Amino acid sequence: MATAATDRTAAPEPAPHVLVVLYPAQGHTIPLLDLATLLASRGGVRLTVVATPATAPLLAAHGDAVGELVLPFPSHPAFPAGVESAKGLSPALFGALIVAYAGLRAPLSDWARERSGGPDRVAAILSDFFCGWTQPLAAELGVSRIAFSPSTVYGTAVLHSLFRRMPQREDGDDESPIGFPDLPGAPAYPWRQLTLLYRTYRDGDEVSEGVRRNFLWNLEASSFVSNTFRRLEERYLAAPLADLGFRRVRAIGPLAPDAADAASGRGGETAVSAADLCAWLDGFADDDGSVVYISFGSMAVLQPPHAAALAAALERTGVPFVWAVGTAAPLPEGFEERVAAAAATAGRRRGKGRVVRGWAPQVAALRHRAVGWFVTHCGWNSVLEASAAGVPMLAWPMTADQFVNARLLVEEAGAAVPVSWGGIQAAPEAEEVARVLEAAAGGQCAHVAARAKELAEEAAATVSDGGASRQELDELVRELHELGSEPKE
């Protein structure tokens, strides 16, 4: 009887405590925070998000849904002091950022061990795939680690394949094709289109070896969670992939806000408010879909030849546009002044443009009925935001996983038209860019626009109650509960 009484009055088992480790790059931080908020909304899971002072402000948009642990950014001799994120970082330092950030392992281990015997015991780690060092941390703590991919399953597999197989180009030729025989369709890419993280690998170099080890650790994770959806990547989700360690992949995307949240500050402070930009776009109400929205993301800085070609094409075609250029884009001399002058005299007529210096409210812009096309570098956050909004894309990949994303959109999804495959190294001629803009604005790519609308319907269905992505999310919550209830050693 005493035992029964004790059972009746025993405190309930606390919800499993999951440690969420962000990577300090906008395209990585935002979707993982979105996922953490979603997990919290499903109930029964406690989450502590690990951030550094540079990324901590982004947590404010997620309210009290998650706890936070802010740690000082670790120092490393290969990484410049005072820099804490990938925003505006030279591509040559991307690898060093991955290696430097791994310095959080020791303080995180101490923090978790202090809580190992109580209700705040860490039951699992959910971390970005650029934080592969959390895999040995998880092993040290005796818990499972789930690797989060902010990219496509296809692109994630390509990235890990490179460091798993270490393919080489022939005779230093940038056009030498590199194949991926273990992926469906056995795709191949010219050397110059592979991520710089791999192309700059040097045998025996501390940073290079640290980057490679990062990705190989991911192949030991218990599973992957990817910000994608099944209808978009069916062939890469049909069976476990060797390039992802034959691990299970849960497709839980798109992690993009709905129309009601389009004006939220999930990406940080913007240079123009969503209300102001949408009011400007309202001037095109009689010509829905006539405006081209342009952005190359938070990290890419256009080279002068690329910016000049795009600016010249916009002026030649007179296509209405919003160009979110960031803070450092080298626009041609006099371009912004001419755009501003036209805005002062043209009223709402065709040809009006707007340049946004800094971070723009992209989701709100893409959701506006006046925006009909999106010139994009094909960063995956941008792709999913456009897909959810039903906006067709003009694909202009530059680096990283962007060529893989662009090929998926153009060749498989049919929701994009290529602008240029030259990347950072080769800018297209202004005439070529103008031809693509005119074809899109003139209705010659209506089949692509129609496919984008279908993609939006598929995206909405998969994140609705009972949709494939929501089912995967609920299964992830159940998995975390099971991990939290496993016997403690």
Side-chain angles (χ1 to χ4, degrees), residues 296-384:
F296 289 85
S298 60
M299 290 171 56
V301 176
L302 281 185
Q303 300 301 305
H306 298 74
L310 180 52
L314 290 170
E315 292 193 284
R316 290 184 190 186
T317 60
V319 172
F321 68 90
V322 173
W323 187 354
V325 300
T327 57
L331 296 184
E333 184 176 353
F335 175 75
E336 288 184 80
E337 291 76 12
R338 290 192 296 274
V339 170
T345 60
R348 298 297 186 188
R349 295 180 312 193
R350 176 177 172 82
K352 186 173 182 182
R354 181 162 182 175
V355 173
V356 177
R357 279 282 182 185
W359 189 258
Q362 180 166 292
V363 172
L366 291 173
R367 295 274 181 173
H368 197 283
R369 65 187 183 278
V371 173
W373 288 88
F374 179 19
V375 176
T376 173
H377 64 313
C378 296
W380 196 239
N381 271 359
S382 290
V383 166
L384 287 182

Side-chain angles (χ1 to χ4, degrees), residues 217-231:
W217 271 327
N218 288 332
L219 304 184
E220 301 173 17
S222 63
S223 63
F224 282 83
V225 174
S226 183
N227 185 19
T228 189
F229 56 103
R230 184 163 290 277
R231 289 295 297 273

Side-chain angles (χ1 to χ4, degrees), residues 75-303:
S75 62
H76 192 281
F79 197 71
V83 179
E84 294 192 11
S85 76
K87 191 170 184 179
L89 189 68
S90 165
L93 288 171
F94 287 173
L97 176 56
I98 291 174
V99 173
Y101 201 62
L104 289 182
R105 177 179 169 180
L108 267 183
S109 176
D110 293 341
W111 184 88
R113 286 186 177 280
E114 289 173 0
R115 291 154 179 78
S116 60
D120 288 333
R121 176 188 73 90
V122 173
I125 295 175
L126 172 62
S127 58
D128 190 278
F129 69 13
F130 274 12
C131 299
W133 51 270
T134 55
Q135 184 61 39
L137 172 64
E140 176 188 332
L141 299 174
V143 302
S144 293
R145 180 243 176 171
I146 298 167
F148 173 74
S149 168
S151 186
T152 59
V153 177
Y154 179 18
T156 305
V158 164
L159 175 62
H160 287 79
S161 178
L162 291 171
F163 288 101
R164 182 176 74 92
R165 298 186 303 108
M166 301 297 287
Q168 300 299 310
R169 58 179 169 171
E170 295 182 5
D171 303 322
D173 182 8
D174 277 357
E175 297 300 325
S176 179
I178 303 299
F180 296 87
D182 294 325
L183 285 175
Y189 290 82
W191 175 267
R192 64 178 175 80
Q193 291 185 359
L194 302 182
T195 174
L196 194 65
L197 283 174
Y198 182 71
R199 288 189 286 125
T200 55
Y201 174 86
R202 290 185 293 145
D203 189 27
D205 175 72
E206 179 193 1
V207 169
S208 292
E209 296 296 350
V211 169
R212 184 180 187 223
R213 188 165 57 246
N214 175 86
F215 293 112
L216 294 182
W217 271 327
N218 288 332
L219 304 184
E220 301 173 17
S222 63
S223 63
F224 282 83
V225 174
S226 183
N227 185 19
T228 189
F229 56 103
R230 184 163 290 277
R231 289 295 297 273
L232 185 58
E233 291 200 85
E234 192 74 52
R235 69 190 307 206
Y236 306 106
L237 289 161
L241 300 174
D243 290 321
L244 293 180
F246 294 106
R247 295 307 196 254
R248 172 165 185 170
V249 179
R250 298 187 189 278
I252 46 77
L255 294 170
D258 59 25
D261 295 325
S264 71
R266 77 196 254 274
E269 186 177 353
T270 59
V272 58
S273 71
D276 179 55
L277 184 57
C278 288
W280 186 85
L281 289 168
D282 285 343
F284 297 88
D286 295 334
D287 198 5
D288 283 359
S290 62
V291 179
V292 175
Y293 179 77
I294 305 161
S295 175
F296 289 85
S298 60
M299 290 171 56
V301 176
L302 281 185
Q303 300 301 305

Side-chain angles (χ1 to χ4, degrees), residues 366-367 371-373 383-393 448-457 459:
L366 291 173
R367 295 274 181 173
V371 173
W373 288 88
V383 166
L384 287 182
E385 289 168 0
S387 297
V391 177
M393 287 159 271
V448 177
R451 178 60 188 129
K453 297 298 183 187
E454 292 174 358
L455 207 58
E457 294 173 1

